[in-house]
Amino acid sequence: MANYNSYQQGTPFQSQYAPNGGQNQYGGTPGGGYGPQGTPQQNQGYFPPQGQPAGVNNDGAMGALAGQMGSMGLGGGDTAAPYRPNKKKNRHAYHNLDQPAGQAQAFVGTPQPQSGYANQENPQQPGTAHPYAGQQITPAMNQFPAPASAPFSPGLQAPSPGFAPPPQAMSGTAASGVSQGKVDPEQIPSIPRLRDAATQYYLDHVYPTMEQHIPPPAGVPFVAHDQGNSSPKHARLTLNNIPSTAEALSSTALPLGIVLQPLAPLQEGEQPIPILDFGEIGPPRCRRCRTYINPFMTFRQGGNKLVCNMCTFPNDVSPEYFAPTDPSGVRVDRAQRPELIVGTVEFMVPKEYWAKQPVGLHRLFLIDVGQEAINRGFLQAFCEGVLLALYGDDDDKEEDGQQDGEKPESQKRISFGSKVGFVTFDKSVYFFNCNAKLEQAQMLVMPDLEEPFVPLGSDGLFVDPYESKSVIIDLLRRLPNLFSRNKTPEPALLPALKAVQAALALTGGKIICSLSALPTHGPGRLFLRDKNDLHGIETERKLFQTEHADWRKVASKMVENGIGVDFFLAAASGGYMDIATIGHVSALSGGETHFYPIFTAPRDVLKLTKEIEHAVTRETGYQALMKVRCSNGLQVSAYHGNFLQHSFGADLELGSVDADKALGVMFSYDGKLDSKLDAHFQCALLYTTAGGERRVRCTNTVASVSESISEVMRYVDQDAVVSIIAKEAATRMTERTLKDIRNALTEKTIDILAGHRRTSSGSHPPGQLVLPENLKEFAMYSLCLLKSRAFKAGSEPSDRRTHTMRFLKSASPLELSLFLYPRIVALHSLPDNSCFPDPETGHLVVPPCMRATFGRIEDGGAYLVDDGQICLLWLHGHVSPNLLEDLFGPSHTSLTSLDPNLSSLPTLETHLNAQVRNLIAYWSSARGSKALTLQLARQGLDGAEYEFARLLVEDRNSEAQSYVDWLVHLHRGIQLELSGQRRKEEGEGMGLGAGLEGAMAGLSNMIGR
């Protein structure tokens, strides 16, 4: 492990390689860590001993803490009960309950997973203690019994070419253990410990979607094996075991909903989504409820009847789709029918599903060329980002003997059939003809802002990016100079949007727009609405929505024409941009708003270019409609996300949809569910692909039904619950005051924990705070929501609040998890083998993350902090100069010598530099739409240090409590609820008041932690 404690200021730089196995690479004592200059080495007491991995045997840790804390403890929930057999044989489709467990079949006729994964000769040994091994199986999991004796495990992988190898094999020792005689703070529910344990487990295991019904935490990478139930990456139910009645659900206070991310990206090792074509007849569907064919529909009468799993209606099977069934009622061709064995599939659809002729995705780049964009370098950076997105790093390389249009499809970054166009604007709108036959692009000016029109035919405006590569590259490189003398500070955005909307009206497509100043010119001009006089009062919510009728009309017209809009907004010196109005167009159309509150070149150039590249190259569809169906006894009660819905019950309309977008769907009861049957959910997304094919992506999810509340609580998906609550709270921001929303979040948290205490943990002493086993970290996530910019108390610019609000509504569970609780790694104490591929498995050795509290920050330390939106490198004022040299180069020995606009690490032949670059590359592979670039936060020097303090979410900040105080507050609320003395208005979640002394006594051992 690297050690800088022995270094003094000005100590000559020593060799990075240890002379022998007894010393580490920097010449310090093995097992140490970076510390302040000239200070003694500190004991490492922040993580459990190496002999017991964090997260293993959590029940024991929680029980130990409860015992240490006397009258008030933090205990895990009920231990999982043994598996209860089904009440009735053959209550589910394709049961085979009579055969021994060790000989169960995954699917009838389905190929076994051994063909897809190697390393099966060394399965995990039975009885191995791990929170993700041996999960309880719900009744629904027996839908398709899977082998009990051959668990999935991915094969050995070679080291990823994206990770740098270590300069030399290093040696080191483990950190010292936890100090004796004190309460171990790790026994408090910890999100980093949960993530680290899951990360290590899923490095060697695959998540089988029918064998296990508690999905992995959303913040960790994993490989899912689709066994008929869709991967959690596409659909996450809040409850994988649903109460049979509305009264039972109400007693838990949990939301019944599903988080959908239909186009979620797949991880390497996962099977691609099957694409099926049934020709002109289209995919088989239920005639009554229009559910698409899925693995849970059953066949009767020898295969002549297809029984819908949603409404139980028996449909006649068409002659084209008929196949006989075997004696058990299973189609003989089941193994050759992906729609009958895979949970997520895509169907090609005939012309009756078309709204207009499908064509390749037309992307139109709408570029701000006003004075502010030029002066701040935003125009130059945006053009660089478009070049990177279209052509990668070879935009200036000539193909030897090969025309641009003849580039192999595998090397193209844009789908075949896609086209691009370019329009700029200031007080006028400029269209560019980029036809491949021209030597350089031709510019046509459209000055009429009152009635915008398109002065150019589609053949000239939209071109193949590879056929017109030389013309496009020349145009984007000339644009900054072409408008360099522009003195127009006021852009006319709305007329420009109307003009490009007219250009895309016939085909639909995607608009990628840049803006660097408040559009105060022409029709639809905006003005400064946020004057700080509405903050903290009831009318503040007016700032979170647009009141401009023309902007609303344009947004609706975009959706109607199948157009999505992505904005890249760079505020001038943190100025007001009215994101509530401008971002309404992107939110309603299914697009995204990227916001740079204080854009600074060159610091933010790399982040901007990478995010443009991601926005262009990610999987994207357009002209989309979405419908969610559920079993009899349930009904859709609400949708939460960014979309257009003309009336309740109508299909959701999206101008565009991409791989990063998610939405939440909530359900209510319209009857009682039969506990002998499963509950089914299907999301059908009808869209046009970037390649110009009209498809339906079906996502099928199943859950069992139970009359036992304790059984329901065992299969709660914490990330889905947090996501649904966050999306619903964000939706309410335009309807309720922020104080009301904070109160509601606090009340909801207390209700859920009190519901579990009342129904499932009666055997625990009354003074203990008992947390559900699968919701142990829920309290922390709730506190993080209260501290987010959307809901926090105090003054916050309305642009920031609105941007965060819309992000919460469309964020995937992965992105939301990181946003609420960042991952933090101490760089000064990285073990020598950390952040390099394991020589045996090829997997990157990922260092454990630390808790987000200043109590874990060491003097002289260096910390990497990532919340999925920004990545900060915080450096203590007394950080070792040798650490700086190894990280940034020999010329950097002090904080003041570092470039404040640094956005990436240099490539050096030092061990620490390679470790950090590998860690950044690994983190980049598990996040959403925001690029991972560095931003320095030097203690006492950079303004980003305030952002670093805000990300320490376990501390008292953002005008909210610390984690420990929050647990005390929740415990008091739960006790009042159980005793019948609770008043709803007390749960404000802000100040604790004077009535907590009694409850605080139960946490006396935790004060200061």
Side-chain angles (χ1 to χ4, degrees):
M1 186 181 294
N3 180 5
Y4 280 97
N5 292 329
S6 60
Y7 285 116
Q8 300 288 340
Q9 185 76 23
T11 301
F13 178 70
Q14 301 180 20
S15 171
Q16 64 178 1
Y17 303 113
N20 55 61
Q23 280 196 313
N24 60 28
Q25 58 172 333
Y26 296 106
T29 304
Y34 295 100
Q37 302 169 29
T39 59
Q41 226 170 306
Q42 299 180 4
N43 290 332
Q44 301 298 310
Y46 298 99
F47 297 97
Q50 293 292 333
Q52 179 181 350
V56 178
N57 197 14
N58 285 335
D59 292 339
M62 297 303 295
L65 182 62
Q68 294 178 50
M69 298 179 61
S71 64
M72 178 180 176
L74 293 174
D78 295 338
T79 57
Y83 166 61
R84 178 175 56 85
N86 294 301
K87 299 178 181 178
K88 182 178 180 181
K89 183 179 177 181
N90 294 332
R91 50 177 273 192
H92 306 294
Y94 309 122
H95 266 221
N96 194 3
L97 301 179
D98 294 334
Q99 60 185 351
Q103 300 175 358
Q105 299 297 316
F107 292 114
V108 179
T110 302
Q112 294 302 304
Q114 284 83 347
S115 61
Y117 303 100
N119 198 29
Q120 289 294 329
E121 64 275 9
N122 294 315
Q124 185 181 13
Q125 296 300 319
T128 302
H130 201 282
Y132 302 98
Q135 291 184 6
Q136 291 291 315
I137 299 179
T138 67
M141 293 179 201
N142 284 329
Q143 189 85 25
F144 302 111
S149 59
F152 297 104
S153 61
L156 301 179
Q157 299 180 8
S160 170
F163 299 132
Q168 179 176 325
M170 309 305 298
S171 62
T173 60
S176 58
V178 180
S179 301
Q180 299 297 321
K182 298 181 181 179
V183 174
D184 183 2
E186 287 300 318
Q187 293 176 355
I188 302 173
S190 168
I191 293 177
R193 182 171 62 229
L194 171 75
R195 290 174 179 170
D196 291 340
T199 298
Q200 293 303 316
Y201 179 78
Y202 284 106
L203 284 177
D204 301 314
H205 297 80
V206 167
Y207 174 75
T209 61
M210 286 299 297
E211 293 176 52
Q212 298 178 2
H213 239 187
I214 302 179
V220 304
F222 64 93
V223 173
H225 176 59
D226 190 335
Q227 298 176 314
N229 192 29
S230 290
S231 165
K233 297 177 181 178
H234 296 108
R236 278 180 175 264
L237 279 169
T238 56
L239 303 175
N240 294 290
N241 201 336
I242 299 175
S244 59
T245 64
E247 292 75 14
L249 177 65
S250 178
S251 68
T252 68
L254 287 165
L256 176 56
I258 189 171
V259 183
L260 297 168
Q261 190 180 356
L263 302 184
L266 301 178
Q267 186 168 316
E268 184 178 356
E270 293 181 330
Q271 296 297 319
I273 305 299
I275 302 173
L276 311 175
D277 189 356
F278 288 87
E280 291 300 321
I281 63 172
R285 304 179 66 179
C286 175
R287 291 207 316 270
R288 175 189 287 175
C289 67
R290 306 301 293 162
T291 298
Y292 289 85
I293 185 73
N294 62 76
F296 305 102
M297 287 187 173
T298 57
F299 291 87
R300 294 180 183 172
Q301 298 183 13
N304 288 290
K305 292 291 185 180
L306 175 64
V307 180
C308 178
N309 59 311
M310 298 289 181
C311 66
T312 68
F313 181 76
N315 298 269
D316 293 329
V317 177
S318 65
E320 297 86 352
Y321 193 64
F322 175 80
T325 58
D326 62 18
S328 64
V330 178
R331 282 175 63 118
V332 295
D333 65 343
R334 180 179 178 82
Q336 288 75 45
R337 291 288 187 181
E339 71 274 15
L340 300 180
I341 59 176
V342 178
T344 302
V345 297
E346 282 201 340
F347 300 110
M348 303 285 290
V349 293
K351 292 184 178 181
E352 62 187 85
Y353 292 80
W354 297 2
K356 58 184 70 174
Q357 179 69 33
V359 296
L361 179 61
H362 285 47
R363 295 179 177 88
L364 198 150
F365 296 93
L366 183 59
I367 306 173
D368 178 12
V369 292
Q371 183 180 12
E372 198 68 41
I374 297 169
N375 293 344
R376 296 193 168 274
F378 187 62
L379 174 59
Q380 177 74 40
F382 191 83
C383 291
E384 292 177 3
V386 176
L387 284 173
L388 178 65
L390 295 179
Y391 307 113
D393 297 327
D394 65 342
D395 57 354
D396 57 352
K397 297 178 182 178
E398 296 294 335
E399 300 286 347
D400 297 332
Q402 180 178 324
Q403 298 296 322
D404 294 330
E406 299 175 356
K407 193 171 185 178
E409 289 298 323
S410 60
Q411 299 179 21
K412 290 185 178 181
R413 301 168 68 84
I414 306 298
S415 301
F416 176 78
S418 295
K419 294 186 177 182
V420 297
F422 298 90
V423 177
T424 62
F425 69 99
D426 46 26
K427 283 188 175 181
S428 300
V429 183
Y430 310 90
F431 289 78
F432 290 88
N433 184 348
C434 296
N435 193 291
K437 298 178 181 179
L438 301 174
E439 292 185 2
Q440 65 179 24
Q442 296 177 344
M443 183 175 72
L444 290 84
V445 183
M446 195 283 295
D448 190 352
L449 301 183
E450 297 295 333
E451 297 183 1
F453 62 94
V454 182
L456 184 63
S458 59
D459 292 341
L461 180 59
F462 294 103
V463 296
D464 185 290
Y466 298 101
E467 292 179 358
S468 300
K469 179 178 178 180
S470 60
V471 179
I472 293 174
I473 291 176
D474 176 71
L475 170 64
L476 291 174
R477 288 178 174 172
R478 287 193 304 112
L479 272 183
N481 292 329
L482 185 63
F483 293 93
S484 60
R485 298 183 180 180
N486 194 340
K487 302 300 180 182
T488 304
E490 302 174 333
L493 177 58
L494 187 63
L497 287 174
K498 288 182 177 179
V500 296
Q501 179 267 321
L504 287 167
L506 295 179
T507 62
K510 187 82 173 183
I511 298 172
I512 300 175
C513 176
S514 69
L515 182 68
S516 58
L518 186 68
T520 56
H521 183 75
R525 65 179 62 88
L526 302 177
F527 58 93
L528 179 63
R529 292 198 295 156
D530 187 359
K531 301 179 182 179
N532 296 325
D533 56 341
L534 299 179
H535 291 186
I537 61 178
E538 185 174 355
T539 53
E540 183 179 9
R541 63 175 180 265
K542 293 182 178 179
L543 298 176
F544 309 147
Q545 56 188 323
T546 180
E547 298 177 346
H548 206 298
D550 287 347
W551 284 86
R552 289 183 178 274
K553 184 177 179 180
V554 166
S556 298
K557 197 72 174 177
M558 292 284 187
V559 180
E560 179 184 334
N561 292 326
I563 304 169
V565 185
D566 285 349
F567 283 111
F568 291 82
L569 307 181
S573 303
Y576 179 68
M577 294 290 288
D578 199 354
I579 291 180
T581 297
I582 298 173
H584 175 74
V585 178
S586 62
L588 200 68
S589 65
E592 184 172 4
T593 299
H594 296 259
F595 182 43
Y596 308 90
I598 305 178
F599 182 84
T600 303
R603 183 194 68 191
D604 297 324
V605 170
L606 180 61
K607 182 175 179 64
L608 173 64
T609 55
K610 284 188 173 183
E611 289 178 358
I612 295 172
E613 178 188 20
H614 180 77
V616 172
T617 57
R618 65 186 169 189
E619 183 176 4
T620 303
Y622 67 105
Q623 296 179 24
L625 295 173
M626 179 182 287
K627 181 74 172 179
V628 177
R629 297 177 174 88
C630 54
S631 294
N632 285 341
L634 296 173
Q635 61 184 356
V636 175
S637 61
Y639 292 96
H640 300 299
N642 293 331
F643 50 79
L644 175 64
Q645 188 178 27
H646 289 289
S647 62
F648 184 75
D651 293 349
L652 306 185
E653 300 181 31
L654 303 100
S656 67
V657 60
D658 59 65
D660 297 314
K661 298 300 180 296
L663 57 86
V665 186
M666 298 188 68
F667 303 97
S668 61
Y669 289 77
D670 61 2
K672 181 179 179 180
L673 298 179
D674 187 351
S675 59
K676 299 181 178 64
L677 300 174
D678 293 333
H680 298 273
F681 306 86
Q682 184 181 84
C683 167
L685 176 69
L686 173 65
Y687 73 107
T688 304
T689 68
E693 295 180 340
R694 195 70 170 161
R695 299 180 186 172
V696 171
R697 175 165 292 197
C698 287
T699 303
N700 300 283
T701 311
V702 63
S704 55
V705 178
S706 176
E707 297 179 354
S708 169
I709 299 301
S710 59
E711 190 172 337
V712 170
M713 296 300 296
R714 291 193 189 101
Y715 303 102
V716 178
D717 186 338
Q718 179 172 251
D719 291 290
V721 171
V722 172
S723 185
I724 286 290
I725 291 176
K727 293 180 188 302
E728 183 178 12
T731 302
R732 299 287 180 260
M733 280 186 63
T734 58
E735 306 168 5
R736 306 289 298 276
T737 66
L738 293 176
K739 182 179 180 181
D740 288 343
I741 294 175
R742 288 193 296 270
N743 290 347
L745 287 171
T746 303
E747 296 297 330
K748 189 67 172 178
T749 304
I750 294 175
D751 287 342
I752 291 174
L753 298 180
H756 171 262
R757 190 71 171 88
R758 183 187 300 111
T759 60
S760 305
S761 58
S763 60
H764 292 271
Q768 284 190 345
L769 173 60
V770 182
L771 304 177
E773 178 62 28
N774 293 318
L775 290 173
K776 286 204 294 274
E777 296 78 19
F778 175 65
M780 184 69 247
Y781 277 123
S782 298
L783 179 61
C784 294
L785 265 179
L786 291 172
K787 292 185 175 185
S788 70
R789 281 198 165 96
F791 310 121
K792 66 181 287 291
S795 180
E796 186 74 19
S798 62
D799 277 349
R800 289 285 189 99
R801 287 199 191 273
T802 308
H803 180 253
T804 305
M805 172 192 75
R806 293 201 175 117
F807 163 77
L808 292 176
K809 291 169 69 175
S810 65
S812 66
L814 163 63
E815 203 167 7
L816 180 62
S817 176
L818 297 179
F819 173 75
L820 294 179
Y821 197 103
R823 43 194 176 188
I824 306 177
V825 167
L827 303 182
H828 56 279
S829 57
L830 285 175
D832 295 330
N833 66 334
S834 184
C835 301
F836 292 115
D838 187 285
E840 296 182 0
T841 66
H843 296 301
L844 193 75
V845 180
V846 183
C849 292
M850 56 177 281
R851 300 177 69 151
T853 172
F854 197 77
R856 302 302 175 88
I857 302 299
E858 299 178 1
D859 291 344
Y863 298 88
L864 198 63
V865 187
D866 173 36
D867 72 343
Q869 310 297 303
I870 59 173
C871 184
L872 299 177
L873 177 55
W874 187 82
L875 300 170
H876 190 273
H878 295 159
V879 67
S880 167
N882 296 87
L883 182 148
L884 297 178
E885 281 191 278
D886 288 351
L887 205 53
F888 301 103
S891 61
H892 301 286
T893 57
S894 66
L895 294 183
T896 55
S897 67
L898 300 178
D899 181 4
N901 292 324
L902 182 81
S903 60
S904 62
L905 287 179
T907 302
L908 305 176
E909 293 298 326
T910 62
H911 196 81
L912 180 63
N913 181 272
Q915 283 180 304
V916 179
R917 285 188 290 109
N918 285 348
L919 179 61
I920 291 175
Y922 172 76
W923 280 0
S924 298
S925 66
R927 59 195 292 114
S929 62
K930 307 304 187 296
L932 197 159
T933 58
L934 287 182
Q935 183 174 349
L936 285 183
R938 300 168 294 176
Q939 187 179 33
L941 295 176
D942 297 316
E945 188 178 9
Y946 294 99
E947 186 69 14
F948 172 74
R950 189 186 70 83
L951 294 178
L952 298 178
V953 290
E954 292 196 18
D955 295 334
R956 182 186 294 272
N957 55 21
S958 299
E959 301 198 23
Q961 300 126 302
S962 67
Y963 185 20
V964 172
D965 291 341
W966 175 242
L967 290 175
V968 173
H969 184 65
L970 294 179
H971 181 60
R972 178 173 180 264
I974 294 170
Q975 288 181 317
L976 292 175
E977 174 68 20
L978 296 178
S979 63
Q981 303 176 19
R982 176 175 165 225
R983 293 185 302 169
K984 292 289 184 179
E985 61 269 18
E986 290 184 357
E988 295 186 4
M990 294 297 104
L992 293 179
L996 295 185
E997 287 80 1
M1000 195 64 193
L1003 282 180
S1004 58
N1005 290 331
M1006 296 169 59
I1007 293 178
R1009 292 293 179 183

